[in-house]
Amino acid sequence: MRIIAGEMRGRQLKAVEGLHTRPTSDKVKGAIFSVLGDKVLNSRVLDLFAGTGNLAIEALSRGSSEAVLVEKNYDAYQVIRKNLEQVGVSQKSKLLLMDAFMFIHRYPDEVFNLIFLDPPYRQELIPKVLQSLKEYSYLSDDGVIIAETAKDEKLTDDLYPFEIRKTAEYGDTKIWYLQRMDV
């Protein structure tokens, strides 16, 4: 696993041993950031279910101004901390050891331009997170939520005020891009 573009391009990232995390592949990550384009520049990023920090660190490498990474698994948290230090972005990052839902309810006044949701597959976590995010104004007016699921998972619950703007499939992975309906 490596950073694929930006000022830290080519730098290697560590992953947690075992099956606790499933890092986003370089192919999928490249596709995500190709879709996002300039939206990454100077953006404030939230990476819930951060795993290795892969997506947030890629965003910082490509010009995001700040990233908040939330991870509840202690081993993954330690790997993220090491990755942030190794690539030199600790000063632009805030790493929290806590559950994603706890973060949402504990920090209700936060606003982000990009929100990455990459929870464990097939646990129906993304619809639950989207329901929680609706209660607050976490997403900036022109912000994007990027959700990663297994290809066979669906986002069928009422998503208002969010709407699906684009989807893409890569092997067993499906990427969902959501924005506010009024944008």
Side-chain angles (χ1 to χ4, degrees):
M1 184 177 46
R2 64 188 172 87
I3 301 169
I4 57 177
E7 73 179 61
M8 296 172 274
R9 180 181 181 176
R11 303 282 299 271
Q12 296 293 315
L13 298 174
K14 297 182 183 329
V16 179
E17 291 184 26
L19 302 174
H20 291 292
T21 62
R22 176 199 29 78
T24 301
S25 72
D26 287 351
K27 176 183 176 182
V28 173
K29 184 169 58 170
I32 289 169
F33 283 94
S34 178
V35 169
L36 293 175
D38 288 344
K39 283 196 170 289
V40 175
L41 298 175
N42 300 312
S43 64
R44 188 157 190 259
V45 175
L46 173 61
D47 190 354
L48 291 173
F49 312 98
T52 60
N54 187 14
L55 293 170
I57 293 170
E58 185 74 32
L60 290 168
S61 179
R62 292 173 183 246
S64 290
S65 61
E66 178 186 2
V68 175
L69 300 91
V70 179
E71 176 55 54
K72 74 175 188 176
N73 178 281
Y74 183 76
D75 292 336
Y77 170 88
Q78 290 296 340
V79 166
I80 296 167
R81 187 180 55 74
K82 289 175 185 167
N83 283 336
L84 293 170
E85 290 170 2
Q86 176 185 319
V87 299
V89 294
S90 296
Q91 73 284 359
K92 293 182 174 182
S93 310
K94 182 177 184 180
L95 174 59
L96 300 168
L97 178 62
M98 69 173 51
D99 177 81
F101 298 98
M102 183 185 295
F103 173 83
I104 292 169
H105 297 295
R106 188 174 287 177
Y107 298 95
D109 298 326
E110 299 279 343
V111 177
F112 299 93
N113 308 101
L114 301 175
I115 300 176
F116 292 106
L117 304 177
D118 185 11
Y121 285 179
R122 297 181 181 90
Q123 292 186 19
E124 300 295 321
L125 289 169
I126 289 177
K128 292 175 186 171
V129 169
L130 292 173
Q131 288 296 324
S132 293
L133 288 173
K134 286 185 202 185
E135 297 175 28
Y136 307 101
S137 298
Y138 270 93
L139 190 63
S140 65
D141 288 342
D142 63 343
V144 181
I145 297 172
I146 305 93
E148 184 174 333
T149 66
K151 182 170 68 173
D152 59 351
E153 288 184 82
K154 306 279 187 244
L155 295 184
T156 56
D157 290 348
D158 174 31
L159 300 175
Y160 182 83
F162 309 121
E163 70 178 342
I164 299 166
R165 296 283 175 98
K166 178 181 176 69
T167 62
E169 294 181 9
Y170 310 92
D172 184 42
T173 300
K174 186 168 187 175
I175 304 297
W176 308 75
Y177 300 88
L178 298 96
Q179 288 187 287
R180 291 191 176 284
M181 291 180 136
D182 50 3
V183 175

